[in-house]
Every structure is written in C-alpha cells, then in structure tokens.
Amino acid sequence: MNSDRTADAFAAAAAVTFPLCPEGPVITLRPADLKSDADVEQILDIEIADSLAFTGAAEKHTIAQRRALLQSSPMAHMLPVVAEMEMLEGGTQIVGFDTVFAPRLDNTDTIFSHQVVHPAMRRQGIGRALAQYALDIAHATGRTKTSVFATVREGEDMDSEAGVILARRAGLKHVSTAGVRVCDLPISEDALARMQDAIGEQADGYSIEIVQDPIPEDLLEDWGAMLAQLDIDDPDEDYEAEVPTYTPERIRAAEKRRADGGVRRVTAIARHIETGRAVAHTYIEFSDHPETTLAWQENTLVMPEHRRRGLARAVKLALHRELARIAPHLTRIITWNSHINDSMIHINEQLGYRRIGSEYIFQGPVPERLDGPAGDSRAA
C-alpha cells in the first residue's frame, strides 16, 4: 500500500510559483520533465558544476543516460524536482534540483532526497524552498522517516553549511559522520609497491579476479551474501536502516539500471582457492562518457572468517591497477569512509587518498515544516 501511495503522491506533485523574497526573483518548483532534453541537460550542468567545485573533477553522461538514472526502478520510486528561476536577462533557468527517492523493496517507511544547488546560485534560499517542496511530497506519500546527507568542505564550519542548517531546522538528529577523500590518478608506482609489500604472503591461498557487470552466475550467491554483510558491518554509528536482501533479481535489476545509465562498474574479488567461494571484494564505478574525469570508490568488504589476511589491501591494489589500465583518462577518484573506520582510512591513505570534507548524516521523523526564518539565505 505504501508503495502505491508513494507512486500516486509523486504523480500528483504540481508546480508552485512564488517570489523568493518580497522583491526577489520569481521561482517555480516543479517535477522535472524527463522527456525534455533541456531539463535533463540543465540538471547535468548543475551536477558537473557542483562536482568540479568540490572535487576538481566530474562525471559526465549523455542526456539519455542521465534520463535513465533519474527514472524510477524496481528498487526505488524516484522523483527529480527542479527549481526554475526567472532570470534578469530574460527567460528561465534551472538553478537547483532535489531527487526525492523512496525504496520499494525494504525501508518502505523511509524517504530520502539528494539536493544540489548550482554553486553560483547558493545562499539565496533556493535550497530551503526545494527542501520544503520535497517535505510536502514526503507527507503525501505517508512515509514517516527521512534521512539527509550534508557535505561540508574540509576546514569549513559545519554549523554554517546549508544542508546542516536545513537538517536541524527539520528537527533531524545527527547520527553519523563520514570523511570524504579523493586520490589523484594515476596512483604512483611507489605507493602501489608499498601496499604490495604490506600484503606480503598474507593473501596466499586466495586468487584475485577482476570482473565487470554483469556479475558471473557462479558468483551471484556469494555476491548477494557479501553485499548483505557489508550492510551489517558498516560502522554507521547511530544510523538506522533495514538490511536489504540481495536476491539475484535485485542484483540484475541494478546492473540493468547502471547499463542504461552508462555507469561502468569494475570489481576486484578475492576467491578462497580451497573452497572456491568469493570472500572479499571492492568496486569502482565511473561513467563511460569519454569526457568523464571522476570515478567513485565504493564498497570494500572481507567476510568475517577471512579477515586479517591482507585481502582488503589485495583487492584494492588489484582494482586500482586495473583502473589505470582500462581508464587512463580518469584524473581523480572519490570515496567516503566512516570517521571511526580506522583500518580502511589507513589503507586509503596508503594509496594517496586525502581528505577534502565530511559528510554528516541526519535522520528522524518527516517534519511538517522547516523551522527558522524563511528569508535566511544561509539555508542554500
């Protein structure tokens, strides 16, 4: 029932138009028109500007690929909403967007959103307006919980960051913190050699394999088990979420979505030679667009009974070497680590990752309204 109500609420979302302040520019909040190349292209432009400002690199997609990634899937309902502003020079321009998404297979009482305002248009109240619009949609779905992720640059004040301000106005609790790190590519041979030396003979008895989507049939069961174990082990402090069940159907649906969106996933898997089971993995994702310069280092996991054998280092080493071989055009890679995950932070820093910011996670009941003065421009 909740899933049907969510779909109905997303379909019923309507445009609203108002001035940002009494004599300010007029803004329209509305669902993005995914049939419109202009809408999708402007969302892409905002994402690239935001990424370049934060990481110095960017992921690019074709309009068709980004359209595919913005659409609902078997895993989640998705509704991208945009803030469209009347410009002084005439015409309108999308200056920010918020992707509202609601899981369909688990955590069906929770709704999430990911907001981006163009760097040149921040501190005007656009983020606050988008957040309230997303809250109104969330209430219509009947979902009762929400989570917000706010990123703060290294050295900047957490309490002055727009996403943090909005989360606190929503009455959400700060539940977890992650460090955001980047690494310049290619990684130096000296760093790779030092990591190989650190592994030594610990990983004897295991073979390392590089695989790309789709995951081979003989690995599907082990792959699903590793993904579930990752959710169980994730050092996410007070963040609460239902652990998903990774069925073969779910894994294949995610692979199809990545393929439609031009997202390439490269995975290093450690296989226990004696049993033939896949027991550790790490993967990196990046767009197959030739102008992409940014990759994403995602999950790294070793199953509990195979830990302390150097496997996390072994799979990371193999994967970063493979990335240099197959995608030499990439210039930077980004990753997130819980600030209490000392072992993974140490491994990443051995490879040359350096911290550029923090991600603060807030969680709580879906609020009715955002507190605080509507004209406070600090809220994005």
Side-chain angles (χ1 to χ4, degrees):
M1 179 180 295
N2 207 7
S3 182
D4 291 340
R5 185 172 174 183
T6 299
D8 290 343
F10 281 11
V16 294
T17 300
F18 55 92
L20 273 176
C21 55
E23 296 183 3
V26 173
I27 192 169
T28 297
L29 305 176
R30 59 172 175 81
D33 180 2
L34 295 185
K35 296 180 181 179
S36 164
D37 285 359
D39 271 20
V40 178
E41 185 173 22
Q42 289 179 82
I43 289 173
L44 277 167
D45 289 344
I46 292 170
E47 288 178 323
I48 291 169
D50 176 67
S51 183
L52 287 172
F54 184 52
T55 73
E59 185 177 46
K60 296 190 177 182
H61 295 273
T62 66
I63 290 174
Q65 289 171 344
R66 195 66 187 96
R67 178 180 289 119
L69 293 171
L70 288 168
Q71 292 176 337
S72 294
S73 73
M75 287 83 70
H77 298 283
M78 295 189 70
L79 180 67
V81 299
V82 299
E84 189 173 45
M85 181 181 287
E86 292 184 4
M87 308 306 290
L88 291 176
E89 59 271 26
T92 62
Q93 181 178 331
I94 293 175
V95 293
F97 70 96
D98 195 328
T99 305
V100 184
F101 58 101
R104 302 178 73 167
L105 304 179
D106 44 63
N107 296 290
T108 55
D109 59 350
T110 303
I111 194 161
F112 301 84
S113 72
H114 172 66
Q115 182 189 112
V116 184
V117 176
H118 194 288
M121 303 300 295
R122 291 173 184 167
R123 306 295 180 177
Q124 299 185 50
I126 296 166
R128 177 191 170 92
L130 277 167
Q132 185 59 61
Y133 188 69
L135 277 181
D136 294 340
I137 295 169
H139 276 290
T141 69
R143 298 190 179 225
T144 58
K145 298 179 182 177
T146 190
S147 296
V148 170
F149 303 80
T151 302
V152 180
R153 289 173 178 269
E154 191 73 358
E156 293 190 356
D157 179 19
M158 169 187 177
D159 295 330
S160 298
E161 201 282 324
V164 174
I165 294 169
L166 289 172
R168 287 177 171 163
R169 285 184 180 168
L172 304 180
K173 178 184 176 183
H174 175 211
V175 294
S176 186
T177 301
V180 187
R181 289 174 172 82
V182 296
C183 183
D184 294 330
L185 298 175
I187 296 174
S188 74
E189 284 300 322
D190 286 347
L192 296 173
R194 285 194 297 270
M195 180 157 287
Q196 184 66 66
D197 290 342
I199 297 167
E201 298 179 357
Q202 294 182 87
D204 288 356
Y206 299 86
S207 62
I208 307 299
E209 304 172 15
I210 301 294
V211 300
Q212 298 193 36
D213 281 350
I215 291 292
E217 286 290 332
D218 70 312
L219 289 176
L220 269 181
E221 181 181 349
D222 290 343
W223 184 249
M226 286 193 290
L227 293 178
Q229 188 68 45
L230 184 77
D231 285 317
I232 293 169
D233 291 348
D234 196 14
D236 47 15
E237 302 177 272
D238 296 324
Y239 181 77
E240 297 180 355
E242 179 185 350
V243 176
T245 299
Y246 293 95
T247 63
E249 294 77 18
R250 183 176 189 153
I251 292 169
R252 294 303 189 213
E255 289 173 343
K256 182 181 185 304
R257 181 172 183 272
R258 288 194 295 274
D260 292 344
V263 177
R264 189 172 177 183
R265 176 184 286 186
V266 186
T267 305
I269 290 177
R271 194 189 290 265
H272 187 223
I273 294 172
E274 182 179 342
T275 62
R277 302 301 296 269
V279 298
H281 79 271
T282 188
Y283 62 81
I284 289 172
E285 294 182 351
F286 57 95
S287 167
D288 65 9
H289 193 290
E291 296 179 14
T292 285
T293 55
L294 182 68
W296 304 72
Q297 164 70 81
E298 301 282 359
N299 302 345
T300 301
L301 172 93
V302 180
M303 294 299 275
E305 61 272 25
H306 296 273
R307 291 173 183 168
R308 301 190 182 280
R309 293 175 172 86
L311 294 180
R313 283 186 172 88
V315 292
K316 274 187 169 283
L317 177 62
L319 185 58
H320 283 76
R321 281 179 167 160
E322 178 69 6
L323 187 67
R325 187 186 71 82
I326 65 173
H329 59 287
L330 298 175
T331 63
R332 192 156 291 175
I333 187 167
I334 188 169
T335 194
W336 283 254
N337 300 113
S338 168
H339 73 118
I340 60 174
N341 191 353
D342 292 336
S343 60
M344 192 55 60
I345 291 170
H346 180 62
I347 291 172
N348 284 336
E349 289 181 344
Q350 282 185 315
L351 286 169
Y353 284 83
R354 66 184 187 280
R355 187 160 178 163
I356 62 167
S358 299
E359 181 182 70
Y360 299 99
I361 304 176
F362 294 81
Q363 193 172 45
V366 175
E368 288 290 337
R369 302 288 300 176
L370 293 173
D371 292 331
D376 188 349
S377 63
R378 292 185 309 156

